[in-house]
Amino acid sequence: MTTRIGILTGGGDCPGLNAVIRAVAKSLMRQCGAEVLGIEDGFAGLIDDPVRVRPLPWDAVSGILMRGGTILGTSNRANPLRDEATAARVLAHVQALGLQGLVVIGGDGSMGLAHGLAQRGLRVVGVPKTIDNDIPGCERSFGFDTAVATVTEAIERLQTTAASHGRVMIVETMGRWAGWIALEAGLAGAADIILLPEIDFDLEAVAAVCRARAQRRRHTIICIGEGAKPRGGQPTVQAVEPRPEPLRLGGVAHALAAALQPRLDCEVRATVLGHVQRGGSPTPFDRVLATQYGNEAAQLVMTHAWGRMVTLQRGQLTSVALAEAAHGNRRVPLDHPLLRAARQIGVSLGEPGDP
Ligand code: F6P
């Protein structure tokens, strides 16, 4: 009997999804002659009646390695666990399609859904996706490197215009409750101040750094993660569960600009990069990582290692139980070497007494 495996992309998109789809499908086709079915629009395609699926023969997954987004479509809102009847319908659809297993490519939300379905009997394997790099048990999700590259380029562009006008320029990154994008892109783009959700910033300290730089006729670049907040303040992105739906984005850069302007003599401007960070072609690093993840997911399928998510730990490809990836966020640890390096080279993290 031919092995038939389904694949879906859930949650927000990110660069590298197509690279994973391609690697999963090619690996399964080549190694065990499997037939691969693509589920459309994430879990929605399995919840809907009739189901929305399409065959993914070799030609359908060729030539998509570099393409951003997902050829299968995705959805944030489809929840196969919204009630037991929906979960049962999804399981019945999987059976009716003759799927021996399902590969779910998604973030922590999708891994939680995959885990819930696994507990109800679904044979499923997960692949970690998010530009935020915040999935528990995974030190690098694909899509993150591309987002960092995009933000870095934006900061470089802001550097020249900020210098021309002697301004303070604030650039807001995505990342929800984790500051990975702001931290790495801030360092790569030579930001002067990096503000993270993990370290509540001191507004007066930030203003003092800007003033000290202005005295030396220097402009200032502030890179701020969307979940960052001042000491004693509220985050713009709600940092607690349950998450607001839909998640409201943006605004922390504008709020900071409004708070800083009266404290400074120079002009302050804010840029919110938004979904630009999720679009476009994956970097070579993400293409390679996504290919490795996809191929590894196919190995898990072929060895029937169900209920697991492929991952990278200490630079090695491995897998963890879906349950491990399903809950919480992996935030920047306060003793992370990049934080130490930032402080030691004189980058302000918005802390009192900063240079
Ligand atoms: O989790 C990925 C992410 O891009 C976050 O960085 C951001 O806060 C959120 O998704 C945006 O979600 P949406 O696309 O639903 O606005």
Side-chain angles (χ1 to χ4, degrees):
M1 190 177 71
T2 312
T3 307
R4 186 180 286 171
I5 301 295
I7 181 165
L8 67 80
T9 51
D13 73 335
C14 89
L17 284 167
N18 289 324
V20 179
I21 295 168
R22 167 182 178 270
V24 170
K26 288 194 169 184
S27 191
L28 286 173
M29 281 186 257
R30 260 189 68 82
Q31 291 185 76
C32 67
E35 202 181 313
V36 181
L37 285 190
I39 319 287
E40 295 179 349
D41 299 333
F43 284 105
L46 277 180
I47 295 172
D48 291 352
D49 223 343
V51 290
R52 290 184 288 115
V53 299
R54 73 173 98 124
L56 289 180
W58 193 271
D59 281 355
V61 295
S62 291
I64 63 170
L65 172 65
M66 302 149 205
R67 206 189 299 170
T70 161
I71 58 166
L72 295 175
T74 185
S75 80
N76 276 340
R77 292 165 161 270
N79 182 356
L81 302 180
R82 69 174 168 241
D83 50 46
E84 286 306 320
T86 308
R89 189 160 77 240
V90 166
L91 295 180
H93 283 159
V94 167
Q95 199 172 11
L97 288 166
L99 297 180
Q100 279 107 45
L102 184 68
V103 176
V104 171
I105 313 170
D108 54 346
S110 300
M111 291 308 131
L113 297 174
H115 175 54
L117 289 169
Q119 288 177 314
R120 290 163 175 80
L122 184 72
R123 287 183 292 203
V124 61
V125 160
V127 182
K129 158 249 57 157
T130 172
I131 62 165
D132 302 341
N133 202 31
D134 64 348
I135 301 177
C138 176
E139 69 190 20
R140 193 133 292 219
S141 49
F142 70 89
F144 171 66
D145 186 69
T146 308
V148 168
T150 302
V151 177
T152 302
E153 194 202 329
I155 296 176
E156 275 173 34
R157 290 175 184 276
L158 291 171
Q159 291 276 10
T160 60
T161 172
S164 306
H165 291 263
R167 283 173 168 164
V168 171
M169 288 283 195
I170 305 169
V171 56
E172 176 180 319
T173 74
M174 282 187 166
R176 303 192 299 179
W177 307 278
W180 296 106
I181 300 177
L183 178 58
E184 289 211 9
L187 283 173
D192 308 295
I193 303 175
I194 300 176
L195 304 177
L196 307 175
E198 292 84 352
I199 303 174
D200 288 358
F201 62 88
D202 183 301
L203 184 59
E204 296 308 333
V206 173
V209 172
C210 297
R211 279 194 298 267
R213 291 183 56 79
Q215 268 179 4
R216 287 179 282 132
R217 309 182 72 80
R218 303 293 302 274
H219 65 283
T220 300
I221 300 284
I222 303 176
C223 181
I224 183 168
E226 63 181 346
K229 64 178 173 62
R231 293 181 170 197
Q234 291 298 316
T236 309
V237 173
Q238 199 170 328
V240 291
E241 302 289 348
R243 280 179 215 160
E245 286 293 345
L247 191 61
R248 288 278 168 242
L249 267 187
V252 68
H254 290 289
L256 178 59
L260 274 181
Q261 188 63 83
R263 292 172 163 80
L264 303 176
D265 290 332
C266 65
E267 290 176 315
V268 183
R269 294 288 187 268
T271 303
V272 179
L273 294 175
H275 291 81
V276 165
Q277 294 159 91
R278 291 218 318 235
S281 181
T283 57
F285 179 92
D286 274 339
R287 292 176 201 181
V288 172
L289 182 62
T291 299
Q292 286 181 293
Y293 277 166
N295 181 48
E296 194 63 19
Q299 309 312 312
L300 293 185
V301 167
M302 287 184 287
T303 55
H304 295 189
W306 306 113
R308 300 195 67 78
M309 180 188 81
V310 300
T311 191
L312 202 65
Q313 287 184 347
R314 294 194 179 90
Q316 300 297 316
L317 268 185
T318 179
S319 68
V320 293
L322 275 173
E324 195 180 319
H327 302 292
N329 290 111
R330 195 183 68 93
R331 306 178 83 200
V332 179
L334 295 180
D335 61 352
H336 195 278
L338 286 183
L339 296 178
R340 192 171 62 242
R343 290 188 185 105
Q344 286 172 344
I345 64 167
V347 175
S348 166
L349 300 177
E351 297 163 307
D354 270 354

